[in-house]
Amino acid sequence: VITSGTLAVYLVTDEPSRYTGDFLDAVDDAVAGGVTVVQYRDTESDDRTQYTRARRLAGLLRGRGVPLIVNNSPALALAVGADGVHLGQSDLPADVVRRIVGPGCVIGLSITCAEEARAVDPACVDYVGIGPVYDATATKPDAASAMGLVVFAEIRRRLESFPAVAIGGMTLDRAPAVYASGADGLAMVSAFSRATDPAGVARAFRDVHARRGGEG
Amino acid sequence: VITSGTLAVYLVTDEPSRYTGDFLDAVDDAVAGGVTVVQYRDTESDDRTQYTRARRLAGLLRGRGVPLIVNNSPALALAVGADGVHLGQSDLPADVVRRIVGPGCVIGLSITCAEEARAVDPACVDYVGIGPVYDATATKPDAASAMGLVVFAEIRRRLESFPAVAIGGMTLDRAPAVYASGADGLAMVSAFSRATDPAGVARAFRDVHARRGGEG
């Protein structure tokens, strides 16, 4: 199972075409700096290519003791022995995925508005990703509009029994307020994929997390 | 398990946007006319929508005693209790999918050239789909170029231990030669989705199948 500490600094991989070097090196750097969990997200590649990439990532993270979550695909999660699968509202329903992946696999669910927070079943969902909190990121052109920190905090309270990560526009400047608003972790794509020093970015977020106040 | 007879008249659903009415009615008509197996293929819809559509299709086909194969997604196949999953060469590898879906689920594999016919593992693959035999269909703009009937027959012989369907440009005129070249069945998309009388089309192909000569 996933704990709130596991979610502290949550790296979501960017589309393969957005990495200038090997994405695995970029992820490895970030993990060395203190990333606590990695989600493999790739909407560009075919399933065979995703399988190859996710397997390499799983091997790397196993060696580092960092959990791997696979976006969207329960089959890919099972195929590479990932620790979990992250679902959006237009993916397979969480109760259906629970039957497929079994009780030992982490299931995360994206929540984009208060309405979606009403019917989250703790038997099926292990943690929630709430957002986008700030301006829709450049990495997800189809993302919902930003909810802002007030709505984030309100949704987070409604789902208080779940560990929760905030996503969307997470920066070092904003991080203290987001942790203080009840986020157990911050999920980030471009903060890592566009960084020249992913390890330094991870260290900086870990520092903010360690010094966090508020409900954390 | 799938038998050669099950594959005789194999309907592959067209993209949802290509049906003028309810796709379920069109499939139901074709099944009433004698379609022997249905593959749900939908590259347009998100996973949640595919789940809803596939569930409806599974319910319909269960009542008709016709097997349902799901294209590409082992998770969707498990989610709706489909009889099988059909894989392309850029989908998850068949041995990986076998571990996910278990021994009772049918796995079909697309073969587009002689090279791909070399390493088909009977422990993982239950039947093969060979093609495109004739001109690349309008329904799959990214399909490989047509192999022609001579190459089809050659590949089919290499895979003689597998039940095999031919796909790509299947018409009533061509059907006798294709069956005579070793096809156990003909897989068709637009022959059904564009028909004003899907039941009549299915009956006509069943008739050709019943009168087939050659290796069948």
Side-chain angles (χ1 to χ4, degrees):
Chain A
V1 294
I2 207 124
T3 65
S4 58
T6 314
L7 297 175
V9 181
Y10 186 129
L11 181 154
V12 182
T13 62
D14 208 340
E15 301 293 353
S17 63
R18 294 221 183 86
Y19 288 94
T20 48
D22 187 342
F23 92 113
L24 218 58
D25 291 338
V27 173
D28 199 16
D29 277 359
V31 168
V35 156
T36 54
V37 57
V38 172
Q39 180 187 137
Y40 176 61
R41 180 175 182 275
D42 177 354
T43 68
E44 284 180 351
S45 307
D46 63 40
D47 289 358
R48 184 70 62 98
T49 305
Q50 287 191 41
Y51 172 66
T52 304
R53 293 169 65 91
R55 263 182 90 185
R56 292 175 64 210
L57 190 54
L60 168 76
L61 295 176
R62 209 170 286 127
R64 303 288 193 194
V66 167
L68 171 64
I69 308 284
V70 166
N71 183 55
N72 166 266
S73 172
L76 184 59
L78 291 173
V80 303
D83 300 278
V85 58
H86 189 90
L87 304 172
Q89 294 285 328
S90 59
D91 290 333
L92 287 175
D95 59 330
V96 171
V97 173
R98 177 58 75 205
R99 290 201 305 268
I100 294 171
V101 298
C105 184
V106 169
I107 297 180
L109 179 65
S110 291
I111 302 290
T112 67
C113 63
E115 182 64 36
E116 291 168 2
R118 281 167 208 237
V120 183
D121 180 353
C124 310
V125 174
D126 297 297
Y127 78 91
V128 291
I130 304 172
V133 179
Y134 296 106
D135 52 321
T137 66
T139 52
K140 274 189 160 183
D142 60 341
S145 57
M147 59 178 62
L149 199 56
V150 171
V151 173
F152 168 81
E154 183 192 313
I155 294 175
R156 202 279 164 270
R157 278 193 299 273
R158 286 193 191 204
L159 295 168
E160 60 184 352
S161 63
F162 296 88
V165 284
I167 191 163
M170 295 296 125
T171 62
L172 274 175
D173 288 348
R174 289 163 169 167
V178 178
Y179 284 124
S181 297
D184 297 301
L186 273 49
M188 292 162 282
V189 183
S190 54
F192 289 111
S193 69
R194 295 182 185 182
T196 50
D197 176 19
V201 171
R203 269 192 300 272
F205 278 102
R206 280 296 287 266
D207 285 349
V208 177
H209 178 255
R211 289 184 277 108
R212 74 195 182 284
E215 302 172 29
Chain B
V1 294
I2 207 123
T3 65
S4 58
T6 314
L7 297 174
V9 181
Y10 186 129
L11 181 154
V12 182
T13 62
D14 209 340
E15 301 293 354
S17 62
R18 293 221 183 85
Y19 288 94
T20 46
D22 186 342
F23 92 113
L24 218 59
D25 290 339
V27 172
D28 199 18
D29 276 359
V31 167
V35 157
T36 55
V37 57
V38 172
Q39 179 187 138
Y40 175 62
R41 180 176 182 276
D42 176 355
T43 68
E44 284 180 351
S45 307
D46 64 39
D47 290 359
R48 183 70 62 99
T49 306
Q50 286 191 42
Y51 172 65
T52 304
R53 293 169 64 90
R55 263 182 90 185
R56 292 175 62 210
L57 190 53
L60 167 75
L61 294 176
R62 209 169 285 126
R64 303 288 193 194
V66 166
L68 170 64
I69 309 283
V70 167
N71 184 54
N72 165 265
S73 173
L76 184 59
L78 291 172
V80 303
D83 299 279
V85 58
H86 188 91
L87 304 172
Q89 294 285 328
S90 58
D91 289 334
L92 286 175
D95 58 330
V96 171
V97 173
R98 177 58 75 205
R99 290 201 305 269
I100 295 171
V101 298
C105 183
V106 169
I107 297 180
L109 178 66
S110 290
I111 303 290
T112 67
C113 63
E115 183 64 38
E116 292 167 1
R118 281 167 208 235
V120 183
D121 181 353
C124 308
V125 175
D126 297 296
Y127 77 91
V128 291
I130 305 172
V133 179
Y134 295 106
D135 52 322
T137 65
T139 53
K140 274 190 160 182
D142 59 341
S145 58
M147 59 177 61
L149 200 57
V150 172
V151 173
F152 168 81
E154 184 192 313
I155 294 175
R156 202 277 164 270
R157 277 193 299 273
R158 286 193 190 203
L159 295 168
E160 62 184 351
S161 62
F162 296 88
V165 284
I167 190 162
M170 295 296 125
T171 62
L172 273 174
D173 287 349
R174 289 162 169 167
V178 177
Y179 284 124
S181 297
D184 297 301
L186 273 48
M188 291 162 285
V189 183
S190 54
F192 289 111
S193 68
R194 295 181 185 181
T196 49
D197 176 19
V201 171
R203 269 192 300 272
F205 279 102
R206 280 295 288 266
D207 285 348
V208 177
H209 178 257
R211 289 183 278 107
R212 74 194 182 285
E215 303 172 29

